[in-house]
């Protein structure tokens, strides 16, 4: 594996000439670089469900392109028929994963584009859907860069940073969210020392975050999830930075399973805990963390997935939630592309979004 190459590859891209969505298969990393060429809605659904593409922003971008390709393929010549095919594809893609709101946000944005342009000839309508999906992807890069700048303002040169899961370039169009300040810090000589939780059971931290950060020349150390308290107690961590899949209106935040425990530890050791959240991940329609649908995944991911032999007795009960919710009281700040938002989140999240999108809140 050429470590530099991983940063040069996009996790999600469109090959419009061949009517294909190109995905970097993240399930094979760090051992193999394989690009998938997906042409059907079912293939895109499978890639999202199996985490070949993963991370809230990347899932949204993949779904938007998947929906565009389905629409492009339609041979309907009447808007009504075209619309019902579009809606069926949208519904199918929306059923791939439940927790990251970016998936639904991106699909709804494509649907709004369809309605806005419904008077256009279908060929032009299809072009406008392509433009919308391109915009979703391009905006994500700008958003992440802005998050990186705001998050960097919370850090000091030489800081030790703990991160959980992968909220990196692979999970987005570029830069990542929680990793964006690490990349910017690297360019500016901050010499951060990053600790990456391995992130059981699917090992996004071990397989993806360490790969990305080491490719960028960042000092990164892999730890098992159960070592976080030790590195904190050793005084090696000055900040925790994580991504998120959905931020509720009161600031409760769903992210990869294990994040809530890290937040509680950080609170115990008086270490600031920062959530890096692109605004599409903030769901003001979701009142609290209790209202977030947490994905449950296959038991085999816990008992067998990475092992040559099963590591649990056959038939044992296994509980495998993919995400957990961090209580807003453990979150020091939520870093968005619009700035650093601090408690009380019930007010500050709504105020921030109302200021930047006056009509949508
Ligand atoms: O199950 P995953 O790998 O899709 O979970 C990803 C995470 O929890 C990320 O932290 C989150 O989506 C933010 S990515 C910028």
């Amino acid at each position: 594996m050429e470590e530099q190459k991983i940063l040069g590859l996009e996790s999600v891209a469109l090959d419009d000439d061949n009517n294909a969505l190109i995905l970097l298969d993240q399930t094979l990393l760090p051992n193999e670089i394989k690009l998938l060429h997906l042409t059907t809605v079912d293939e895109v659904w499978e890639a999202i469900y199996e985490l070949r593409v993963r991370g809230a922003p990347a899932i949204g971008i993949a779904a938007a392109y998947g929906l565009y390709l389905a629409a492009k393929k339609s041979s309907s010549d009447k808007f009504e028929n075209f619309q019902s095919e579009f809606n069926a594809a949208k519904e199918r893609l929306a059923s791939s994963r439940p927790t990251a709101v970016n998936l639904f946000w991106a699909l709804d944005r494509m649907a709004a584009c369809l309605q806005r342009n419904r008077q256009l000839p279908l060929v032009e309508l299809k072009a406008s859907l392509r433009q919308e999906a391109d915009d979703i992807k391009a905006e994500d890069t700008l958003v992440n860069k802005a998050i990186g700048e705001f998050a960097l303002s919370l850090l000091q040169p030489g800081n030790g940073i703990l991160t959980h899961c992968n909220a990196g370039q692979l999970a987005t169009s570029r830069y990542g969210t929680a990793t964006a300040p690490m990349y910017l810090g690297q360019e500016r000589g901050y010499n951060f020392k990053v600790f990456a939780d391995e992130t059981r059971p699917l090992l996004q931290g071990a397989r993806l975050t360490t790969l990305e950060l080491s490719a960028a020349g960042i000092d990164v150390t892999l730890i098992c999830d159960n070592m976080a308290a030790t590195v904190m107690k050793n005084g090696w961590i000055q900040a925790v930075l994580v991504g998120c899949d959905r931020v509720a209106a009161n600031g409760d935040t769903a992210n990869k399973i294990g994040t809530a425990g890290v937040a509680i530890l950080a609170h115990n050791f008086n270490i600031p805990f920062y959530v890096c959240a692109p605004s599409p991940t903030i769901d003001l329609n979701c009142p609290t963390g209790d209202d977030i649908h947490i994905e449950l995944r296959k038991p085999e991911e816990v008992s067998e997935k990475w092992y040559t032999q099963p590591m649990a007795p056959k038939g044992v009960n296994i509980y495998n939630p993919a995400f957990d919710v961090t209580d807003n009281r453990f979150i020091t700040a939520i870093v968005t592309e619009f700035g650093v938002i601090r408690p009380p989140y019930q007010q500050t999240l709504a105020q921030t979004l109302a200021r930047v999108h006056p009509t949508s809140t």
Side-chain angles (χ1 to χ4, degrees), residues 51 54-57 59 97 164-168 171-172 177 204 243-245 255-256 322-323:
L51 276 59
R54 44 140 308 277
I59 293 170
R97 294 191 78 188
H164 190 77
C165 194
N166 172 267
T172 64
T177 58
Q204 290 92 333
C244 55
D245 287 80
N255 190 47
K256 180 51 51 192
F323 301 95

Side-chain angles (χ1 to χ4, degrees), residues 253-261 294 321-326:
T253 294
N255 190 47
K256 180 51 51 192
I257 190 74
T259 305
I294 299 293
F323 301 95
D324 59 23
V325 174
T326 300

